Amino acid sequence: MAIAEFQRALADLIASPQRCLEARKAGRVAFAEYALTEREITRLERMVMDAGMSINCTLYRVNRLTPVYSVLPLTCRMLGDSIAHELDAFWAVSRDATLQYRWEAWRFGTWLLERISRGDIPGGSLEDVIHFELACFEVRTAPRGDFPEDAWPHPRKRILRLHHDISTWLAGETTSQPVTRSGTPSAVLLDASGTDLQVSLIAE
Amino acid sequence: MKTGVGILYNGTLDRLLQEHADAVDFVSVIPERFWTDHGRDAATRFAPLPEELERLERLARDHQLVAHGIGLSIASGSTFDVEHIRELARWRAKFQFGWVSEHLAAVRVRTEVTSDHHAGLTLPLAWDEELLDMLCERIAIAQDTLGCQLLLENGVVHTPVPETDMSEIEFLNALFERSGCGMLLDLHNLYVNHANQQVDGAAFLDALNMDAVGEVHVAGGNKLYGVYLDSHSGKCPQQVWQWLAKVVPRCGNLRGVTFEFHESYFPQMGDEGVLRELQLARDALKSEGGPTPWQLPSSNVHSQT
């Protein structure tokens, strides 16, 4: 369907300022990979030159960052200046995006964990923070069901083994300070069986 | 339901809606915020989010709810998600939504791996006969599935598609006439297009078939890099209120005026700021020659195609 192909080409432009710049230089050749009519190519040629295309690209990035940051705020802060690079790389390969918080955050978190395991980026406390934030979201969104308070396993409770000091992380969460690595192994209980998520350190 | 004033729900409103329940006649909710979509291949595709569902049930006890969908992407060429509409219909039945609105938008596109890739923002639409035909077919299915009229919202555009078969207003009027759907007239979206694209808002409203308008949205925005955005940042521009006062007497089927703001702006607005905007909307409904009370028809309105 012509509409679908036009929208695919337009979405690819909006997702990539670099592609927009290249299309401005290359002209209609830039759209050779799409099954477009002459009219649609002409439209895209004019649209990519429109000053409004830069705001499209900006809004795209804001909208896609929102679900990731909502679920993985500490992870984003820990990435520091590299967050833009990591997100660009993730979005370039993520061709089945959804703005549902759960899936976007899970996909980005999983993608980062794979990069850590391959040695592409340093792990350490970042790896633990990703696991921690994904687990927090999982228990908060799990079905409540009809479970006794002390039931185990419980869909809204989880024990997470970590390799770094959780108290440092929580301080980072509340003060927006960078999370520092302490090297102290620990385990935490995540409990969302009540109205709020409770995080407690388990002595080992 | 009489023509009323409502608010688009967000998590900062729980206390205000309890303490000032009479400030609104209805609460508009985004259904997709209350469920998880596990994807078309999943055995159980849609799962309610427990805490969000509890919120919705609490809201429904005290308020008339209406639905404002964001995920259908009815104008996507690559996909038409009937199962999504069926889920909307189930929630409509469960929570007795007063009406159902969606965006006249394409947000899903086909990629190598899916026809449902989220484009990150609403794509500019080409106001062509081809799109009109496609939408009329889909609206007929959607309204049959929902069992009620669907209201579609006009959007914001930063890069209009050039040389279309019709202007936006010609397209919208043709769509309402041919499909039988209604319009959610977002006056702030119109204001954004007026501010950035020099769209003549007054001419747009003069030409619009106001009998199609079932709901009006009002909101505020702010500028980023010199571009005015539909950021729902609080106070509505004066122009939006002026347009609202002008269109209300012409809307014979208006069911509600809804104020939208993003929750991140609540600290700036506070209860007082939110209540003030709601009162301004209520004042506009009292204008001379305003809409007559209107009930959601029990027989519902279906496609005329």
Side-chain angles (χ1 to χ4, degrees), chain B residues 267-279:
Chain B
Q268 290 169 240
M269 297 188 74
D271 289 3
E272 190 182 337
V274 174
L275 293 170
R276 184 180 56 238
E277 299 304 295
L278 292 171
Q279 186 57 49

PDB file of all heavy atoms in Angstrom, chain B residues 267-279:
ATOM      1  N   PRO B 267       2.992  20.877  39.773  1.00  0.00           N
ATOM      2  CA  PRO B 267       3.562  21.721  40.845  1.00  0.00           C
ATOM      3  C   PRO B 267       3.463  23.209  40.528  1.00  0.00           C
ATOM      4  O   PRO B 267       3.282  24.022  41.433  1.00  0.00           O
ATOM      5  CB  PRO B 267       5.019  21.267  40.921  1.00  0.00           C
ATOM      6  CG  PRO B 267       4.992  19.855  40.436  1.00  0.00           C
ATOM      7  CD  PRO B 267       3.946  19.836  39.348  1.00  0.00           C
ATOM      8  N   GLN B 268       3.580  23.580  39.274  1.00  0.00           N
ATOM      9  CA  GLN B 268       3.470  24.991  38.905  1.00  0.00           C
ATOM     10  C   GLN B 268       2.025  25.470  38.973  1.00  0.00           C
ATOM     11  O   GLN B 268       1.758  26.618  39.321  1.00  0.00           O
ATOM     12  CB  GLN B 268       3.978  25.217  37.484  1.00  0.00           C
ATOM     13  CG  GLN B 268       5.478  25.057  37.332  1.00  0.00           C
ATOM     14  CD  GLN B 268       5.888  25.025  35.873  1.00  0.00           C
ATOM     15  OE1 GLN B 268       6.456  24.039  35.417  1.00  0.00           O
ATOM     16  NE2 GLN B 268       5.603  26.083  35.143  1.00  0.00           N
ATOM     17  N   MET B 269       1.099  24.586  38.603  1.00  0.00           N
ATOM     18  CA  MET B 269      -0.306  25.001  38.540  1.00  0.00           C
ATOM     19  C   MET B 269      -0.982  24.928  39.901  1.00  0.00           C
ATOM     20  O   MET B 269      -1.717  25.826  40.294  1.00  0.00           O
ATOM     21  CB  MET B 269      -1.085  24.103  37.574  1.00  0.00           C
ATOM     22  CG  MET B 269      -0.641  24.152  36.145  1.00  0.00           C
ATOM     23  SD  MET B 269      -1.803  23.233  35.144  1.00  0.00           S
ATOM     24  CE  MET B 269      -3.166  24.372  35.118  1.00  0.00           C
ATOM     25  N   GLY B 270      -0.755  23.833  40.603  1.00  0.00           N
ATOM     26  CA  GLY B 270      -1.454  23.602  41.854  1.00  0.00           C
ATOM     27  C   GLY B 270      -2.944  23.423  41.625  1.00  0.00           C
ATOM     28  O   GLY B 270      -3.441  23.554  40.501  1.00  0.00           O
ATOM     29  N   ASP B 271      -3.636  23.145  42.731  1.00  0.00           N
ATOM     30  CA  ASP B 271      -5.090  22.977  42.636  1.00  0.00           C
ATOM     31  C   ASP B 271      -5.741  24.227  42.043  1.00  0.00           C
ATOM     32  O   ASP B 271      -6.632  24.148  41.194  1.00  0.00           O
ATOM     33  CB  ASP B 271      -5.695  22.734  44.023  1.00  0.00           C
ATOM     34  CG  ASP B 271      -5.347  21.365  44.565  1.00  0.00           C
ATOM     35  OD1 ASP B 271      -4.591  20.634  43.886  1.00  0.00           O
ATOM     36  OD2 ASP B 271      -5.813  21.028  45.663  1.00  0.00           O
ATOM     37  N   GLU B 272      -5.256  25.367  42.528  1.00  0.00           N
ATOM     38  CA  GLU B 272      -5.881  26.634  42.118  1.00  0.00           C
ATOM     39  C   GLU B 272      -5.808  26.826  40.602  1.00  0.00           C
ATOM     40  O   GLU B 272      -6.782  27.223  39.963  1.00  0.00           O
ATOM     41  CB  GLU B 272      -5.174  27.787  42.834  1.00  0.00           C
ATOM     42  CG  GLU B 272      -5.864  29.114  42.692  1.00  0.00           C
ATOM     43  CD  GLU B 272      -5.072  30.228  43.381  1.00  0.00           C
ATOM     44  OE1 GLU B 272      -4.280  29.920  44.298  1.00  0.00           O
ATOM     45  OE2 GLU B 272      -5.239  31.381  42.975  1.00  0.00           O
ATOM     46  N   GLY B 273      -4.646  26.533  40.042  1.00  0.00           N
ATOM     47  CA  GLY B 273      -4.473  26.710  38.601  1.00  0.00           C
ATOM     48  C   GLY B 273      -5.346  25.763  37.792  1.00  0.00           C
ATOM     49  O   GLY B 273      -5.938  26.151  36.774  1.00  0.00           O
ATOM     50  N   VAL B 274      -5.457  24.523  38.254  1.00  0.00           N
ATOM     51  CA  VAL B 274      -6.291  23.555  37.541  1.00  0.00           C
ATOM     52  C   VAL B 274      -7.755  23.961  37.630  1.00  0.00           C
ATOM     53  O   VAL B 274      -8.486  23.973  36.620  1.00  0.00           O
ATOM     54  CB  VAL B 274      -6.091  22.132  38.130  1.00  0.00           C
ATOM     55  CG1 VAL B 274      -7.062  21.148  37.497  1.00  0.00           C
ATOM     56  CG2 VAL B 274      -4.646  21.673  37.923  1.00  0.00           C
ATOM     57  N   LEU B 275      -8.174  24.326  38.829  1.00  0.00           N
ATOM     58  CA  LEU B 275      -9.583  24.698  39.024  1.00  0.00           C
ATOM     59  C   LEU B 275      -9.945  25.952  38.224  1.00  0.00           C
ATOM     60  O   LEU B 275     -11.065  26.072  37.727  1.00  0.00           O
ATOM     61  CB  LEU B 275      -9.866  24.911  40.517  1.00  0.00           C
ATOM     62  CG  LEU B 275      -9.773  23.637  41.372  1.00  0.00           C
ATOM     63  CD1 LEU B 275      -9.816  23.981  42.862  1.00  0.00           C
ATOM     64  CD2 LEU B 275     -10.874  22.648  41.011  1.00  0.00           C
ATOM     65  N   ARG B 276      -8.976  26.856  38.101  1.00  0.00           N
ATOM     66  CA  ARG B 276      -9.241  28.073  37.330  1.00  0.00           C
ATOM     67  C   ARG B 276      -9.513  27.740  35.856  1.00  0.00           C
ATOM     68  O   ARG B 276     -10.450  28.262  35.249  1.00  0.00           O
ATOM     69  CB  ARG B 276      -8.054  29.032  37.440  1.00  0.00           C
ATOM     70  CG  ARG B 276      -8.307  30.376  36.747  1.00  0.00           C
ATOM     71  CD  ARG B 276      -7.115  31.307  36.871  1.00  0.00           C
ATOM     72  NE  ARG B 276      -5.912  30.698  36.350  1.00  0.00           N
ATOM     73  CZ  ARG B 276      -4.804  30.504  37.055  1.00  0.00           C
ATOM     74  NH1 ARG B 276      -4.759  30.876  38.308  1.00  0.00           N
ATOM     75  NH2 ARG B 276      -3.745  29.927  36.509  1.00  0.00           N
ATOM     76  N   GLU B 277      -8.706  26.842  35.299  1.00  0.00           N
ATOM     77  CA  GLU B 277      -8.906  26.482  33.889  1.00  0.00           C
ATOM     78  C   GLU B 277     -10.253  25.760  33.707  1.00  0.00           C
ATOM     79  O   GLU B 277     -10.953  25.974  32.715  1.00  0.00           O
ATOM     80  CB  GLU B 277      -7.763  25.590  33.391  1.00  0.00           C
ATOM     81  CG  GLU B 277      -6.391  26.233  33.451  1.00  0.00           C
ATOM     82  CD  GLU B 277      -6.288  27.554  32.694  1.00  0.00           C
ATOM     83  OE1 GLU B 277      -6.430  27.539  31.460  1.00  0.00           O
ATOM     84  OE2 GLU B 277      -6.058  28.599  33.342  1.00  0.00           O
ATOM     85  N   LEU B 278     -10.608  24.935  34.669  1.00  0.00           N
ATOM     86  CA  LEU B 278     -11.903  24.242  34.578  1.00  0.00           C
ATOM     87  C   LEU B 278     -13.059  25.242  34.641  1.00  0.00           C
ATOM     88  O   LEU B 278     -14.062  25.101  33.927  1.00  0.00           O
ATOM     89  CB  LEU B 278     -12.030  23.204  35.706  1.00  0.00           C
ATOM     90  CG  LEU B 278     -11.080  22.005  35.613  1.00  0.00           C
ATOM     91  CD1 LEU B 278     -11.140  21.167  36.896  1.00  0.00           C
ATOM     92  CD2 LEU B 278     -11.427  21.129  34.405  1.00  0.00           C
ATOM     93  N   GLN B 279     -12.889  26.257  35.500  1.00  0.00           N
ATOM     94  CA  GLN B 279     -13.956  27.262  35.612  1.00  0.00           C
ATOM     95  C   GLN B 279     -14.069  28.068  34.318  1.00  0.00           C
ATOM     96  O   GLN B 279     -15.187  28.396  33.881  1.00  0.00           O
ATOM     97  CB  GLN B 279     -13.681  28.190  36.805  1.00  0.00           C
ATOM     98  CG  GLN B 279     -14.806  29.173  37.084  1.00  0.00           C
ATOM     99  CD  GLN B 279     -16.146  28.472  37.324  1.00  0.00           C
ATOM    100  OE1 GLN B 279     -16.239  27.533  38.115  1.00  0.00           O
ATOM    101  NE2 GLN B 279     -17.199  28.914  36.626  1.00  0.00           N
TER     102      GLN B 279
END
